Structure formats: C-alpha cells, structure tokens
Amino acid sequence: MAFLTAARLQERGIGSSLDQDKEYVGFATLPNQVHRKSVKKGFDFTLMVAGESGLGKSTLVNSLFLTDLYKDRKLLNAEERITQTVEITKHTVDIEEKGVKLKLTIVDTPGFGDAVNNTECWRSVADYIDQQFEQYFRDESGLNRKNIQDNRVHCCLYFISPFGHGLRPLDVEFMKALHEKVNIVPVLAKADTLTPTEVKRKKTKIQEEIEQYGIKIYQFPDCDSDEDEEFKQQDQELKASIPFAVIGSNTVVEAKGRRVRGRLYPWGIVEVENSAHCDFVKLRNMLVRTHMQDLKDVTRETHYENYRAHCIQSMTRMVVKERNRNKLTRESGTDFPIPMVPGETDAETEKLIREKDEEVGASACTAKHRPPHSLQTEQTVRPSSDPPPDPPDPPCEPSLAASPLTPAD
C-alpha cells in the first residue's frame, strides 16, 4: 500500500519534493485539485446578443465560437417586421477544447428595434433576465441543491449601429434599463463600413455619451501588482477599445497566399482576425481567455446579489405586515380576519335582512286584522313559559267593515 501511494505521488510530481523537503505538507496542490475537479465538472457560460436586425449578431457569434448556431433561422421580410414583437430564443451548444468542456448558451433577441413603435421593447429582455434570477433563487432555496442549473445571463453584447452620430435614444434607454441586471459590453457593429478615422471618432463619441447618460457598462478589473507587464499592457488595450469595433465573417478567403477568414471587397480583403482591421481578436480574448470567469463572478456577486437582497426585503415586509394584522386581530378579540376595506358589507346579507324585515311587517299586519277567536286559539296553544301576549285590538266597526265605501249620511 505504501508503494502504491508513493507511485501515485511520483506520477503527480510531488514525490521528489517529498524526498527533498521533509517539512512539505501538501496543501500547495490544492489549485491542482480544484483544476481537476473543475475540468471534470465542466463550465457553463450564457451570452446574450441584442441589437436591431442586420448588424451581424449571428455572424459574429458563429465567428467567436467557430460553430453554426443559426442553421434553421427564418428571416422575416419588411412587412412581417412591422408588427413583430421582441422574442427570446436560446441556442445551446457543447464545446470541447483540449479536454475542457464548455456549455455555451446564446440568448438572441430577434425583433428588437425593428417595429415602427419601439416603446419599451426592452421590457421582455429585462423580464427574461429577472426570470432567470428568480429560477436560480428558487432552486437555491429548495431542498435539492446539488444539481442547480445556472441559466443566469453573464454578459450582454449590445450591437450599436455604425450609421448615425453616436448613440440613438433606443440604445440609451436599453442600456439604462439593463445596466443594473447584466454586464453590458457595447459593440460597434460592421466596422468595415467605416474608415479608421471614422472608427476612432465614433468610439470617442460613444464613450462620451455613455459617461454623459450615466450608463454602467462592464468595468474591467484592475490588474494586480504582481502581474507581468505584458498582461498589464493587454488590459490597457482592452479598456481603450470600448466599444469593440468588430467584423464578423464565416467565409474563408485567400490573401497573399494564405487562407484567412474575412470579407472580399473590390479594393481588398478585410481580415476578421487581424488586429489592424478590427477588434475581433480583442473581444474574443476578453470573453473567452481572460475575463469569462470575472464576468460570471460579477454576475453572481453583484447583479444576482442585488436581486436576491430585493427579494428577501420584499418577503420580510410581507411577513411583518401579516404579523401586524394577526396582532390586531388578537387584540380586538375576534376570531375572524379584519376586512381589508372597513365598512364594506356583503350584498347577500343586505338582501336577507330586507327580506326578514318584510316578513316581520307582513306578520304584524296579519295579526292586527285576525279575528278574536283565532287569537284566543293562538293564546291557548302558546307555551306557559312565554310571557303573556298583548291584549288584542278592538274589532273593526261592522258598518265600516260591511260597507267601507258607503258615504256618511
């Protein structure tokens, strides 16, 4: 048994260190243990893409993850888009790279910004994000918490049109409505329609308007002091590239004897993965290689915690309100709940009261004109325990009873 243990330690690269240093404990291998467990479990990431149709959202997503998520997509004509409402569609794909599994979920918003009236067209998007928070909150508060499915949106790529001057009112309202719920990364779409000078001017204008309107986009974390200079330089370039000017293409073209993904124009070739042509590589590195885990951490520690705190506060208010109502009920000495609207009576009760009043009035009138022998009979059958009845009224005059309509002499 000792031989097998030593062999296993030797395979994991810590046997030699045990021989060299007898004071070695072994907790330095904890990162390796976490790494093995994480790789075995796999990772998940949910990315939302939003923006009006025709800005290249689907093409960019396929270019980012080298997959085709929109095989069965149906394109609507202009007439169908007039009355189209915003829909939420999900595409899930399992990607594996060097033994690491990633469950990628793409949330698309077809119909956003395409209708004639776009008033609060972002409402369905915000509701979807809240629904995912609510579902996770319910699962987290339930009895079985082992296999919780995390469908929370970790990042939202918002595509900004390259045409026009800066942000449109729809862009401002969308980002202001969602910046407290999700990490927003603005993207300048179809950058190949702009010259390098126009791209720089457009970026500066968008950055100024984002700060002017108080929009909280995703903030890159500061580098640690022990990071190398290359990583610090890369981080500074990412921060300066907001919004990312991107170009998407799933077509492979030949340029200078090599095959690259890009777009072929009469004046030349635009390479998607060329940093001198666009920021596609920077965006991909940020999403996948450097900041994917930070996006998930910010979603869990900031956006979800804000939603969770709001839910707990609402539940606490409801409990306190119910306790106060029960306390008032006990103090008033009633076993029935206090009505919410004071002075409110039931219509059926009022109807029954009126019917009883009418019956009592009719009985009194009948007893007044009943003959004396009937009253006497009634008196004889009345129980002795009841109090004696009132004396009967004198009978009516015979002349008046016989001929009530005879005029007086």
Side-chain angles (χ1 to χ4, degrees):
M1 182 62 68
F3 174 79
L4 293 177
T5 304
R8 291 178 179 176
L9 293 175
Q10 187 69 28
E11 291 177 358
R12 297 181 182 180
I14 63 176
S16 59
S17 61
L18 284 174
D19 298 335
Q20 296 175 2
D21 190 359
K22 298 299 183 180
E23 297 181 356
Y24 181 82
V25 177
F27 58 82
T29 61
L30 286 175
N32 296 333
Q33 299 176 31
V34 175
H35 172 75
R36 288 194 298 270
K37 186 176 180 179
S38 300
V39 170
K40 183 179 179 180
K41 182 180 179 181
F43 302 88
D44 51 58
F45 187 74
T46 302
L47 177 66
M48 173 180 284
V49 290
E52 64 181 24
S53 301
L55 294 181
K57 300 187 297 295
S58 306
T59 304
L60 181 66
V61 170
N62 292 335
S63 302
L64 283 173
F65 300 99
L66 299 179
T67 183
D68 189 5
L69 297 175
Y70 301 90
K71 297 179 181 179
D72 302 328
R73 186 180 59 165
K74 178 184 177 182
L75 298 178
L76 303 179
N77 55 35
E79 184 178 358
E80 292 174 335
R81 288 201 300 266
I82 291 177
T83 58
Q84 183 189 13
T85 58
V86 180
E87 299 178 0
I88 304 295
T89 60
K90 291 175 56 177
H91 305 272
T92 303
V93 60
D94 295 326
I95 305 175
E96 184 173 354
E97 183 181 50
K98 295 183 179 180
V100 179
K101 299 178 181 180
L102 174 66
K103 181 181 179 182
L104 176 66
T105 302
I106 302 297
V107 181
D108 201 355
T109 58
F112 175 80
D114 294 342
V116 175
N117 184 8
N118 292 314
T119 303
E120 293 190 351
C121 61
W122 56 85
R123 179 63 58 187
S124 58
V125 181
D127 291 342
Y128 176 82
I129 297 176
D130 288 338
Q131 289 172 6
Q132 306 312 308
F133 282 158
E134 179 183 0
Q135 184 62 40
Y136 192 86
F137 180 73
R138 291 178 181 273
D139 295 342
E140 191 181 40
S141 305
L143 297 178
N144 186 9
R145 302 174 55 184
K146 292 183 179 180
N147 300 317
I148 298 179
Q149 188 70 27
D150 187 7
N151 292 321
R152 295 172 295 183
V153 181
H154 301 120
C155 179
C156 175
L157 293 181
Y158 185 73
F159 286 69
I160 301 172
S161 175
F163 313 110
H165 305 281
L167 298 176
R168 300 174 302 168
L170 181 60
D171 303 331
V172 175
E173 293 299 327
F174 176 88
M175 289 190 283
K176 289 181 66 175
L178 270 70
H179 64 175
E180 298 286 354
K181 302 176 182 292
V182 67
N183 299 312
I184 297 179
V185 177
V187 173
L188 182 59
K190 293 186 177 296
D192 52 342
T193 61
L194 303 173
T195 63
T197 305
E198 292 174 339
V199 169
K200 185 177 180 180
R201 188 185 306 117
K202 189 88 171 180
K203 284 187 174 184
T204 304
K205 180 67 174 177
I206 293 175
Q207 291 175 356
E208 293 176 353
E209 291 180 340
I210 287 176
E211 184 177 358
Q212 175 185 352
Y213 293 110
I215 300 172
K216 302 175 184 178
I217 61 175
Y218 171 69
Q219 298 294 327
F220 294 95
D222 297 330
C223 295
D224 297 332
S225 57
D226 57 347
E227 296 288 351
D228 56 0
E229 294 298 328
E230 182 180 358
F231 184 82
K232 292 181 179 179
Q233 180 65 25
Q234 182 182 4
D235 186 73
Q236 291 295 330
E237 293 179 357
L238 288 177
K239 294 180 180 179
S241 299
I242 295 293
F244 294 98
V246 297
I247 302 171
S249 176
N250 298 322
T251 305
V252 178
V253 297
E254 186 173 351
K256 297 180 180 179
R258 56 191 182 93
R259 298 175 63 83
V260 296
R261 284 192 302 155
R263 293 182 176 274
L264 179 62
Y265 293 100
W267 44 265
I269 297 176
V270 177
E271 299 180 20
V272 173
E273 298 180 352
N274 190 338
S275 299
H277 294 177
C278 65
D279 298 330
F280 174 83
V281 176
K282 296 178 181 178
L283 176 62
R284 184 180 61 187
N285 291 340
M286 187 274 294
L287 282 178
V288 181
R289 299 184 181 181
T290 60
H291 291 80
M292 175 179 284
Q293 187 58 44
D294 186 70
L295 288 167
K296 298 178 65 174
D297 292 342
V298 173
T299 301
R300 182 184 69 254
E301 299 172 1
T302 303
H303 300 301
Y304 174 69
E305 283 300 320
N306 291 339
Y307 175 85
R308 181 173 176 271
H310 178 72
C311 289
I312 294 177
Q313 290 176 359
S314 301
M315 294 167 62
T316 305
R317 293 193 191 99
M318 292 176 61
V319 171
V320 171
K321 186 177 180 180
E322 187 65 24
R323 286 180 179 177
N324 293 336
R325 286 191 59 195
N326 295 337
K327 183 178 179 181
L328 291 175
T329 303
R330 290 193 299 268
E331 291 178 354
S332 61
T334 57
D335 295 333
F336 52 86
I338 300 175
M340 296 299 295
V341 181
E344 184 179 356
T345 57
D346 193 1
E348 293 294 333
T349 304
E350 290 287 348
K351 183 179 179 180
L352 291 175
I353 292 175
R354 288 196 301 269
E355 291 178 355
K356 290 296 182 182
D357 291 341
E358 292 176 358
E359 291 179 3
V360 171
S363 300
C365 182
T366 304
K368 184 177 180 181
H369 297 86
R370 189 173 296 175
H373 66 276
S374 299
L375 295 175
Q376 185 64 29
T377 305
E378 185 176 353
Q379 293 175 10
T380 57
V381 299
R382 187 182 302 274
S384 59
S385 61
D386 293 342
D390 296 334
D393 294 335
C396 300
E397 294 293 336
S399 59
L400 294 175
S403 57
L405 301 179
T406 305
D409 294 335

